[in-house]
Amino acid sequence: MMTRYLRLITLLLVVGLLAACNTTPPSPLEEGKAALTAKDSAKAIAALEKAIAAEPGNAAAHILLGQAYFRAEEKAKAEEQFSAGFTLDQAAALTTDATAEEQFLAGNVHAGLGQFDQALSAYEATLKLEPSKAGAFTNIGVVYYQTGKLDDA
């Protein structure tokens, strides 16, 4: 009886250990998101570059990398990644904790790509976060002008 009991305990321990060892590590995209949330731009950039190397057509990874570059004060690289992401998927969105400046840059990128509805949305999001951002008001007028909505400009 004791032998049977020991075998059962050993089996349970082995199964438990195998289950604990069988966890899947987070993907580079998930690592990048977590690092961005933790405000670790360097770690986010490294993880998101790996994610893009593995899946170049992932718009979300490009947008997240753009935000990480922006937070690392590498604005040109941020704009480049936003452009890549919005070119792949113009409905791609910044994270919910995006700053007014990130939203503003996203609006500029959308406008440059001719994605005027998305540009307006980004500029409006900018104004929600920073109501006195004069550049957002100006750019809204420019977008209305470019789309022929002169009465709204």
Side-chain angles (χ1 to χ4, degrees), residues 17-37:
L17 287 172
L18 287 174
C21 293
N22 197 19
T23 58
T24 305
S27 70
L29 182 63
E30 291 303 317
E31 284 180 25
K33 284 181 188 177
L36 197 60
T37 300

PDB file of all heavy atoms in Angstrom, residues 17-37:
ATOM      1  N   LEU A  17       5.819  19.224 -12.274  1.00  0.00           N
ATOM      2  CA  LEU A  17       7.058  19.797 -12.786  1.00  0.00           C
ATOM      3  C   LEU A  17       7.010  19.975 -14.290  1.00  0.00           C
ATOM      4  O   LEU A  17       7.462  20.992 -14.828  1.00  0.00           O
ATOM      5  CB  LEU A  17       8.256  18.937 -12.391  1.00  0.00           C
ATOM      6  CG  LEU A  17       8.659  19.010 -10.923  1.00  0.00           C
ATOM      7  CD1 LEU A  17       9.736  17.966 -10.621  1.00  0.00           C
ATOM      8  CD2 LEU A  17       9.150  20.396 -10.570  1.00  0.00           C
ATOM      9  N   LEU A  18       6.464  19.001 -14.988  1.00  0.00           N
ATOM     10  CA  LEU A  18       6.343  19.122 -16.444  1.00  0.00           C
ATOM     11  C   LEU A  18       5.417  20.269 -16.823  1.00  0.00           C
ATOM     12  O   LEU A  18       5.692  21.013 -17.765  1.00  0.00           O
ATOM     13  CB  LEU A  18       5.843  17.806 -17.059  1.00  0.00           C
ATOM     14  CG  LEU A  18       6.841  16.658 -17.092  1.00  0.00           C
ATOM     15  CD1 LEU A  18       6.172  15.380 -17.598  1.00  0.00           C
ATOM     16  CD2 LEU A  18       8.040  17.003 -17.953  1.00  0.00           C
ATOM     17  N   ALA A  19       4.342  20.426 -16.096  1.00  0.00           N
ATOM     18  CA  ALA A  19       3.411  21.525 -16.381  1.00  0.00           C
ATOM     19  C   ALA A  19       4.089  22.870 -16.132  1.00  0.00           C
ATOM     20  O   ALA A  19       3.917  23.817 -16.904  1.00  0.00           O
ATOM     21  CB  ALA A  19       2.155  21.390 -15.531  1.00  0.00           C
ATOM     22  N   ALA A  20       4.876  22.970 -15.081  1.00  0.00           N
ATOM     23  CA  ALA A  20       5.567  24.222 -14.776  1.00  0.00           C
ATOM     24  C   ALA A  20       6.635  24.532 -15.814  1.00  0.00           C
ATOM     25  O   ALA A  20       6.868  25.695 -16.142  1.00  0.00           O
ATOM     26  CB  ALA A  20       6.192  24.145 -13.385  1.00  0.00           C
ATOM     27  N   CYS A  21       7.262  23.532 -16.356  1.00  0.00           N
ATOM     28  CA  CYS A  21       8.316  23.733 -17.352  1.00  0.00           C
ATOM     29  C   CYS A  21       7.755  23.983 -18.743  1.00  0.00           C
ATOM     30  O   CYS A  21       8.476  24.398 -19.635  1.00  0.00           O
ATOM     31  CB  CYS A  21       9.242  22.517 -17.406  1.00  0.00           C
ATOM     32  SG  CYS A  21      10.204  22.317 -15.907  1.00  0.00           S
ATOM     33  N   ASN A  22       6.491  23.727 -18.942  1.00  0.00           N
ATOM     34  CA  ASN A  22       5.898  23.806 -20.262  1.00  0.00           C
ATOM     35  C   ASN A  22       5.284  25.183 -20.549  1.00  0.00           C
ATOM     36  O   ASN A  22       4.445  25.304 -21.410  1.00  0.00           O
ATOM     37  CB  ASN A  22       4.840  22.701 -20.410  1.00  0.00           C
ATOM     38  CG  ASN A  22       4.477  22.447 -21.846  1.00  0.00           C
ATOM     39  OD1 ASN A  22       5.214  22.807 -22.736  1.00  0.00           O
ATOM     40  ND2 ASN A  22       3.329  21.829 -22.057  1.00  0.00           N
ATOM     41  N   THR A  23       5.697  26.208 -19.816  1.00  0.00           N
ATOM     42  CA  THR A  23       5.158  27.537 -20.087  1.00  0.00           C
ATOM     43  C   THR A  23       5.864  28.135 -21.298  1.00  0.00           C
ATOM     44  O   THR A  23       7.063  27.977 -21.485  1.00  0.00           O
ATOM     45  CB  THR A  23       5.341  28.476 -18.883  1.00  0.00           C
ATOM     46  OG1 THR A  23       6.723  28.549 -18.572  1.00  0.00           O
ATOM     47  CG2 THR A  23       4.553  27.989 -17.685  1.00  0.00           C
ATOM     48  N   THR A  24       5.096  28.798 -22.121  1.00  0.00           N
ATOM     49  CA  THR A  24       5.632  29.409 -23.330  1.00  0.00           C
ATOM     50  C   THR A  24       6.153  30.797 -22.989  1.00  0.00           C
ATOM     51  O   THR A  24       5.441  31.589 -22.364  1.00  0.00           O
ATOM     52  CB  THR A  24       4.521  29.529 -24.393  1.00  0.00           C
ATOM     53  OG1 THR A  24       3.959  28.238 -24.595  1.00  0.00           O
ATOM     54  CG2 THR A  24       5.058  30.081 -25.689  1.00  0.00           C
ATOM     55  N   PRO A  25       7.376  31.118 -23.376  1.00  0.00           N
ATOM     56  CA  PRO A  25       7.881  32.467 -23.110  1.00  0.00           C
ATOM     57  C   PRO A  25       7.095  33.494 -23.925  1.00  0.00           C
ATOM     58  O   PRO A  25       6.556  33.167 -24.980  1.00  0.00           O
ATOM     59  CB  PRO A  25       9.340  32.411 -23.550  1.00  0.00           C
ATOM     60  CG  PRO A  25       9.408  31.277 -24.507  1.00  0.00           C
ATOM     61  CD  PRO A  25       8.328  30.307 -24.118  1.00  0.00           C
ATOM     62  N   PRO A  26       7.011  34.723 -23.434  1.00  0.00           N
ATOM     63  CA  PRO A  26       6.267  35.747 -24.185  1.00  0.00           C
ATOM     64  C   PRO A  26       6.940  36.028 -25.533  1.00  0.00           C
ATOM     65  O   PRO A  26       8.149  35.931 -25.676  1.00  0.00           O
ATOM     66  CB  PRO A  26       6.317  36.976 -23.277  1.00  0.00           C
ATOM     67  CG  PRO A  26       7.448  36.734 -22.345  1.00  0.00           C
ATOM     68  CD  PRO A  26       7.616  35.258 -22.231  1.00  0.00           C
ATOM     69  N   SER A  27       6.118  36.374 -26.494  1.00  0.00           N
ATOM     70  CA  SER A  27       6.641  36.715 -27.817  1.00  0.00           C
ATOM     71  C   SER A  27       7.370  38.054 -27.730  1.00  0.00           C
ATOM     72  O   SER A  27       7.146  38.834 -26.798  1.00  0.00           O
ATOM     73  CB  SER A  27       5.487  36.825 -28.814  1.00  0.00           C
ATOM     74  OG  SER A  27       4.710  37.978 -28.520  1.00  0.00           O
ATOM     75  N   PRO A  28       8.233  38.348 -28.696  1.00  0.00           N
ATOM     76  CA  PRO A  28       8.900  39.657 -28.692  1.00  0.00           C
ATOM     77  C   PRO A  28       7.896  40.817 -28.696  1.00  0.00           C
ATOM     78  O   PRO A  28       8.132  41.838 -28.049  1.00  0.00           O
ATOM     79  CB  PRO A  28       9.736  39.646 -29.970  1.00  0.00           C
ATOM     80  CG  PRO A  28      10.008  38.201 -30.223  1.00  0.00           C
ATOM     81  CD  PRO A  28       8.761  37.483 -29.755  1.00  0.00           C
ATOM     82  N   LEU A  29       6.759  40.641 -29.374  1.00  0.00           N
ATOM     83  CA  LEU A  29       5.739  41.692 -29.385  1.00  0.00           C
ATOM     84  C   LEU A  29       5.193  41.913 -27.978  1.00  0.00           C
ATOM     85  O   LEU A  29       5.055  43.061 -27.525  1.00  0.00           O
ATOM     86  CB  LEU A  29       4.613  41.338 -30.355  1.00  0.00           C
ATOM     87  CG  LEU A  29       3.504  42.376 -30.502  1.00  0.00           C
ATOM     88  CD1 LEU A  29       4.055  43.688 -31.069  1.00  0.00           C
ATOM     89  CD2 LEU A  29       2.393  41.845 -31.393  1.00  0.00           C
ATOM     90  N   GLU A  30       4.886  40.825 -27.275  1.00  0.00           N
ATOM     91  CA  GLU A  30       4.376  40.939 -25.907  1.00  0.00           C
ATOM     92  C   GLU A  30       5.430  41.533 -24.973  1.00  0.00           C
ATOM     93  O   GLU A  30       5.115  42.346 -24.102  1.00  0.00           O
ATOM     94  CB  GLU A  30       3.901  39.576 -25.389  1.00  0.00           C
ATOM     95  CG  GLU A  30       2.655  39.076 -26.087  1.00  0.00           C
ATOM     96  CD  GLU A  30       1.476  40.029 -25.994  1.00  0.00           C
ATOM     97  OE1 GLU A  30       1.225  40.596 -24.916  1.00  0.00           O
ATOM     98  OE2 GLU A  30       0.800  40.222 -27.028  1.00  0.00           O
ATOM     99  N   GLU A  31       6.690  41.126 -25.161  1.00  0.00           N
ATOM    100  CA  GLU A  31       7.782  41.695 -24.361  1.00  0.00           C
ATOM    101  C   GLU A  31       7.881  43.198 -24.614  1.00  0.00           C
ATOM    102  O   GLU A  31       8.085  43.982 -23.680  1.00  0.00           O
ATOM    103  CB  GLU A  31       9.117  41.041 -24.727  1.00  0.00           C
ATOM    104  CG  GLU A  31       9.310  39.659 -24.180  1.00  0.00           C
ATOM    105  CD  GLU A  31      10.659  39.079 -24.579  1.00  0.00           C
ATOM    106  OE1 GLU A  31      11.616  39.852 -24.853  1.00  0.00           O
ATOM    107  OE2 GLU A  31      10.762  37.851 -24.631  1.00  0.00           O
ATOM    108  N   GLY A  32       7.749  43.597 -25.870  1.00  0.00           N
ATOM    109  CA  GLY A  32       7.823  45.010 -26.223  1.00  0.00           C
ATOM    110  C   GLY A  32       6.699  45.811 -25.603  1.00  0.00           C
ATOM    111  O   GLY A  32       6.913  46.906 -25.084  1.00  0.00           O
ATOM    112  N   LYS A  33       5.477  45.271 -25.664  1.00  0.00           N
ATOM    113  CA  LYS A  33       4.332  45.950 -25.042  1.00  0.00           C
ATOM    114  C   LYS A  33       4.559  46.127 -23.550  1.00  0.00           C
ATOM    115  O   LYS A  33       4.309  47.203 -22.998  1.00  0.00           O
ATOM    116  CB  LYS A  33       3.054  45.142 -25.255  1.00  0.00           C
ATOM    117  CG  LYS A  33       2.465  45.216 -26.621  1.00  0.00           C
ATOM    118  CD  LYS A  33       1.182  44.380 -26.662  1.00  0.00           C
ATOM    119  CE  LYS A  33       0.640  44.242 -28.047  1.00  0.00           C
ATOM    120  NZ  LYS A  33      -0.562  43.374 -28.082  1.00  0.00           N
ATOM    121  N   ALA A  34       5.011  45.055 -22.904  1.00  0.00           N
ATOM    122  CA  ALA A  34       5.243  45.110 -21.454  1.00  0.00           C
ATOM    123  C   ALA A  34       6.328  46.132 -21.113  1.00  0.00           C
ATOM    124  O   ALA A  34       6.188  46.905 -20.157  1.00  0.00           O
ATOM    125  CB  ALA A  34       5.624  43.729 -20.929  1.00  0.00           C
ATOM    126  N   ALA A  35       7.389  46.153 -21.884  1.00  0.00           N
ATOM    127  CA  ALA A  35       8.475  47.110 -21.628  1.00  0.00           C
ATOM    128  C   ALA A  35       8.004  48.543 -21.868  1.00  0.00           C
ATOM    129  O   ALA A  35       8.369  49.455 -21.115  1.00  0.00           O
ATOM    130  CB  ALA A  35       9.679  46.786 -22.511  1.00  0.00           C
ATOM    131  N   LEU A  36       7.184  48.749 -22.877  1.00  0.00           N
ATOM    132  CA  LEU A  36       6.653  50.087 -23.152  1.00  0.00           C
ATOM    133  C   LEU A  36       5.769  50.535 -21.992  1.00  0.00           C
ATOM    134  O   LEU A  36       5.869  51.676 -21.538  1.00  0.00           O
ATOM    135  CB  LEU A  36       5.872  50.076 -24.469  1.00  0.00           C
ATOM    136  CG  LEU A  36       5.586  51.410 -25.120  1.00  0.00           C
ATOM    137  CD1 LEU A  36       6.877  52.155 -25.452  1.00  0.00           C
ATOM    138  CD2 LEU A  36       4.782  51.209 -26.398  1.00  0.00           C
ATOM    139  N   THR A  37       4.936  49.642 -21.493  1.00  0.00           N
ATOM    140  CA  THR A  37       4.081  49.947 -20.344  1.00  0.00           C
ATOM    141  C   THR A  37       4.922  50.255 -19.114  1.00  0.00           C
ATOM    142  O   THR A  37       4.580  51.145 -18.327  1.00  0.00           O
ATOM    143  CB  THR A  37       3.127  48.764 -20.060  1.00  0.00           C
ATOM    144  OG1 THR A  37       2.319  48.555 -21.218  1.00  0.00           O
ATOM    145  CG2 THR A  37       2.243  49.041 -18.873  1.00  0.00           C
TER     146      THR A  37
END
